Amino acid sequence: MKLSKQLFVTLREAPSDAEVASHALMLRAGFLQQIAAGIYVYGPMLWRVLQRIEGIVRDEHDKADCQELLMPAIQPRELWDESGRWERYVNDGILFHFKERKGGEVCLGPTHEEVITNFVKGQVQSYKQLPVTLYQIQTKFRDEIRPRFGLMRGREFIMKDAYSFDVSEEAMVESYKVMRQVYRNIFSRCGLRFTPVEADSGAIGGSGSEEFMVDADTGEDAIAVCRATDYAANLEKAVSRIPAPAACDEVVAMHKEPTPGATTCAALLELFPDLPMTRLLKTVLYHVVYDVEALAARDGVDASEVRAEGVIAVMCRGDRELNEVKLANHVNALKLELASEDEVKAATGAEVGYAGPIGLADDVRLYADESVNGVEGFLCGGNETDTHYLDVHFGRDLDQPETADFGTVQAGDLVVEAGTGDVPADAAIEITRGIEVGHIFQLGTKYSEAMSASFLDVDQKQKPIWMGCYGIGVSRVAASAIEQNHDEAGMIWPLEIAPYAALIVQMKVGDEAQDALCQKLHDDLTAAGVDVLWDERKKVRPGAKFKDADLVGIPLRIVVGRDAAEDKVEWSPRAGGDEAKEVLTSGDAMERVVAACREAGRI
Ligand code: ATP
Ligand code: MG
């Protein structure tokens, strides 16, 4: 492919709103053009990368006997009413939805559980047809609150979504295990360094869920990892053993303390310098919108009897932080956010900052994180402005509230198994960051039951189909690859997914020996199946060609210059820097390209 025949525009500077390297470099190299927040044109170079990634995704799915299909982007509201998700997605604001000419409502698919369940319901009757796993690669639409970082969080993006269908829970787990391996293969082949982590499976329930995190400081997700035990979990889900609280040596009666203006732990510690942080219990108030259907089903009552919204109070040790995902799951919340100032005043009778467990309004349910276990003689809010209680004891001064794990794991916490079996006593957790490129999930029968997708089993009984779902952010994979592989000068593509495998940089176009050698290299490489780009632009100086080459990051490079007459070229791979440069005969250079492409599965 001759570069002069292509639309190829590069910029020296990235637009100032590009906050991460992948976004900035893609804009500079003409890979992307934004037409609205989170909505982009994928330029020709980027499209080649995306097709490479899609090729790997297809190959690995097909090898595992998955079948590709294509579902519509437009989905009718009726299907979403069957699964009960329409209201929730509309309330979250994530759904692009609109009215049709004839008055019906439709959305642009943010995901396809409803459509696929409906499809399989119409196709599968018998256990003899199962298991099957179906997948598609398609554009998804989500009206994200904060679209940002280019392809990382778009409002329109490419996803591969797969769905497995099985006769039983055990069979579903088997399908899930196959997909776990498929995902490992895909991300390895894409040249990514990644960590599979335990993930939150949300209010949907389901026993297993794993996310695939590309290791990157710019990642939006925090991950808890322990090198000694290979434990890795999304911080939303991670569990740990926390340090014990300081003991309380002197037991005295509970009493009120004036604490004017002290609304933070730091301010309280200034007033009570001898009090350890672990004996200070904070109480946080949240406004909760409940999942009424789920609560009604859990308690076996009618949905009309369940409270739809309310305020809850949650206690937690002063040195720990609450985890709103765990909390929302525990209380079956559709939405959970800090209570407003007015709600705090109504619940506590005080200004914000003095909430405590004693004397809360009757309709405020109290919970506590496990970190309060064993804490004695503590300080807590007095539910009165400028006042706290000191020397409070559960059991003596108030009942211990309903307690569960609502805590956020912190660096230095021990893994749960520390000191047991072969696990060292000091097996501690680190917090790192990652980009979620994939998510696999055991769905169970949530959708098949809601949408009556059943099959006739061997025992002649109709049973709901067991499902799993599996997503990969194809466009996010491209951005993540750059996040992990770039330098000041530009992108450095892993060979497997690079837009072209090889680049020939011709120093002087019109020089007879160079023209002839470049043409031969180009033709021979093409004949060998290598996709090669030849920079034969006449009016562009060598310096600018090298800059462009560094920016676009095609991994294998051959520079053809003065020594062309002696059949000599410079081998100059993008990743190696000056040290990797070598003078080779054109034949040797060609052999290296072919060998590298074979190893990377490109030819
Ligand atoms: P996130 O937590 O990042 O919002 P999610 O958990 O909502 O993602 P899933 O529903 O699990 O996403 O979608 C499967 C995959 O699609 C994700 O693992 C991610 O790689 C990708 N993805 C999700 N949202 C976006 C987006 N807005 N832009 C690009 N890729 C996305
Ligand atoms: Mg996810």
Side-chain angles (χ1 to χ4, degrees):
M1 198 77 74
K2 290 180 175 172
L3 188 54
S4 70
K5 304 253 195 260
Q6 316 236 311
L7 178 64
F8 181 74
V9 181
T10 56
L11 302 171
R12 281 247 172 97
E13 305 273 333
S16 57
D17 60 340
E19 295 168 76
V20 296
S22 57
H23 189 196
L25 292 171
M26 282 203 230
L27 288 172
R28 277 184 57 200
F31 278 45
L32 270 189
Q33 187 192 46
Q34 179 172 313
I35 62 159
I39 301 180
Y40 296 92
V41 175
Y42 308 143
M45 281 279 188
L46 175 60
W47 186 236
R48 294 180 71 94
V49 173
L50 294 172
Q51 285 181 305
R52 298 279 329 161
I53 298 170
E54 290 182 6
I56 292 171
V57 166
R58 283 200 172 90
D59 189 39
E60 292 297 330
H61 279 75
D62 294 349
K63 273 201 266 183
D65 293 330
C66 306
Q67 285 173 283
E68 185 171 1
L69 81 174
L70 185 60
M71 291 179 269
I74 296 183
Q75 306 183 12
R77 173 178 177 156
E78 289 72 31
L79 280 185
W80 285 68
D81 280 337
E82 277 184 44
S83 70
R85 288 207 295 183
W86 183 268
E87 297 282 347
R88 179 175 185 164
Y89 272 65
V90 169
N91 285 340
D92 278 355
I94 201 98
L95 205 63
F96 282 104
H97 59 103
F98 50 95
K99 277 222 156 61
E100 300 168 298
R101 184 196 295 263
K102 291 199 170 143
E105 279 188 280
V106 293
C107 68
L108 297 178
T111 177
H112 279 75
E113 280 81 6
E114 283 79 3
V115 179
I116 195 86
T117 307
N118 188 62
F119 174 68
V120 167
K121 173 183 168 179
Q123 305 283 316
V124 169
Q125 272 89 46
S126 156
Y127 71 94
K128 291 179 195 152
Q129 294 168 282
L130 298 174
V132 285
T133 298
L134 303 166
Y135 76 98
Q136 65 171 348
I137 299 176
Q138 201 216 33
T139 298
K140 294 278 189 276
F141 303 87
R142 295 184 181 179
D143 199 357
E144 300 273 1
I145 305 178
R146 257 178 295 139
R148 56 180 188 160
F149 298 164
L151 291 188
M152 290 289 185
R153 186 168 294 284
R155 293 196 298 156
E156 174 177 329
F157 59 96
I158 302 175
M159 195 201 285
K160 183 287 307 179
D161 45 328
Y163 306 86
S164 61
F165 299 87
D166 278 287
V167 295
S168 66
E169 183 168 11
E170 300 74 53
M172 169 189 74
V173 172
E174 285 311 308
S175 296
Y176 176 87
K177 283 188 191 154
V178 169
M179 293 305 277
R180 281 176 84 199
Q181 190 56 47
V182 166
Y183 272 48
R184 279 167 169 74
N185 298 348
I186 289 171
F187 297 124
S188 300
R189 278 183 64 186
C190 287
L192 297 170
R193 298 179 293 285
F194 64 95
T195 309
V197 305
E198 287 175 25
D200 171 51
S201 41
I204 300 174
S207 40
S209 173
E210 213 173 1
E211 285 165 343
F212 292 78
M213 295 288 185
V214 167
D215 309 331
D217 293 339
T218 49
E220 288 186 291
D221 284 86
I223 310 163
V225 292
C226 171
R227 314 272 169 207
T229 55
D230 280 344
Y231 175 72
N234 191 313
L235 207 58
E236 293 178 348
K237 154 101 181 177
V239 292
S240 68
R241 263 167 47 197
I242 68 174
C248 165
D249 300 330
E250 207 183 333
V251 178
V252 297
M254 174 176 101
H255 51 103
K256 265 188 189 174
E257 286 281 347
T259 52
T263 59
T264 62
C265 290
L268 286 164
L269 287 182
E270 259 177 44
L271 288 179
F272 305 97
D274 296 335
L275 190 75
M277 188 74 146
T278 54
R279 278 175 49 204
L280 197 158
L281 298 191
K282 47 192 176 188
T283 306
V284 185
L285 272 65
Y286 289 98
H287 179 96
V288 182
V289 179
Y290 292 102
D291 186 340
V292 173
E293 306 275 325
L295 281 172
R298 187 194 67 185
D299 299 341
V301 296
D302 192 75
S304 61
E305 291 173 44
V306 178
R307 203 157 65 137
E309 299 192 25
V311 172
I312 62 168
V314 191
M315 300 182 74
C316 168
R317 222 165 76 181
D319 61 328
R320 310 297 301 181
E321 296 297 332
L322 287 170
N323 180 322
E324 293 177 5
V325 174
K326 291 182 184 174
L327 199 53
N329 289 344
H330 186 83
V331 302
N332 273 294
L334 287 179
K335 200 164 167 185
L336 180 133
E337 56 193 8
L338 286 177
S340 68
E341 215 175 301
D342 286 345
E343 284 173 322
V344 173
K345 282 183 189 158
T348 66
E351 295 293 324
V352 175
Y354 304 96
I358 302 168
L360 282 169
D362 286 344
D363 59 347
V364 178
R365 181 142 176 207
L366 183 64
Y367 297 87
D369 171 47
E370 281 170 354
S371 60
V372 307
N373 287 338
V375 179
E376 297 190 311
F378 55 84
L379 179 91
C380 62
N383 290 327
E384 186 182 324
T385 303
D386 295 339
T387 307
H388 280 75
Y389 284 113
L390 192 52
D391 292 310
V392 187
H393 289 254
F394 285 125
R396 186 188 73 179
D397 304 317
L398 74 158
D399 289 338
Q400 178 153 339
E402 179 181 337
T403 304
D405 174 19
F406 304 131
T408 303
V409 168
Q410 293 173 6
D413 287 356
L414 297 181
V415 288
V416 173
E417 308 83 25
T420 59
D422 295 336
V423 182
D426 60 350
I429 287 176
E430 290 169 48
I431 308 292
T432 65
R433 301 201 73 81
I435 302 165
E436 180 194 325
V437 287
H439 193 170
I440 60 176
F441 204 96
Q442 294 174 19
L443 281 176
T445 56
K446 180 186 154 75
Y447 292 91
S448 52
E449 282 193 53
M451 302 182 69
S452 314
S454 62
F455 68 98
L456 192 65
D457 206 352
V458 205
D459 58 10
Q460 296 298 310
K461 288 198 179 120
Q462 282 289 332
K463 295 179 186 167
I465 305 178
W466 287 80
M467 291 173 56
C469 71
Y470 315 88
I472 290 181
V474 171
S475 41
R476 195 182 274 183
V477 165
S480 312
I482 301 176
E483 254 354 278
Q484 274 193 339
N485 304 287
H486 69 272
D487 59 20
E488 305 248 287
M491 319 177 207
I492 308 173
W493 285 105
L495 180 53
E496 295 80 349
I497 62 173
Y500 290 88
L503 174 69
I504 301 169
V505 183
Q506 184 174 356
M507 305 284 279
K508 190 168 177 198
V509 180
D511 173 287
E512 233 171 81
Q514 288 188 31
D515 287 352
L517 189 58
C518 285
Q519 186 74 55
K520 182 171 169 10
L521 270 169
H522 173 269
D523 295 349
D524 289 355
L525 283 169
T526 306
V530 175
D531 48 339
V532 56
L533 188 63
W534 171 13
D535 188 350
E536 33 64 272
R537 290 175 296 174
K538 253 200 184 107
K539 299 218 172 90
V540 181
R541 289 213 301 270
K545 287 186 178 175
F546 290 133
K547 278 219 166 80
D548 282 345
D550 279 347
L551 177 59
V552 171
I554 294 167
L556 308 173
R557 292 193 307 212
I558 300 172
V559 179
V560 177
R562 243 176 305 167
D563 300 336
E566 284 100 64
D567 190 39
K568 290 277 166 57
V569 300
E570 188 182 62
W571 173 252
S572 168
R574 172 63 179 91
D578 282 344
E579 280 159 42
K581 288 185 182 163
E582 262 179 85
V583 174
L584 299 178
T585 63
S586 67
D588 284 349
M590 153 124 186
E591 252 173 50
R592 282 208 191 171
V593 171
V594 170
C597 288
R598 280 226 174 90
E599 203 187 308
R602 267 190 97 111
I603 52 175

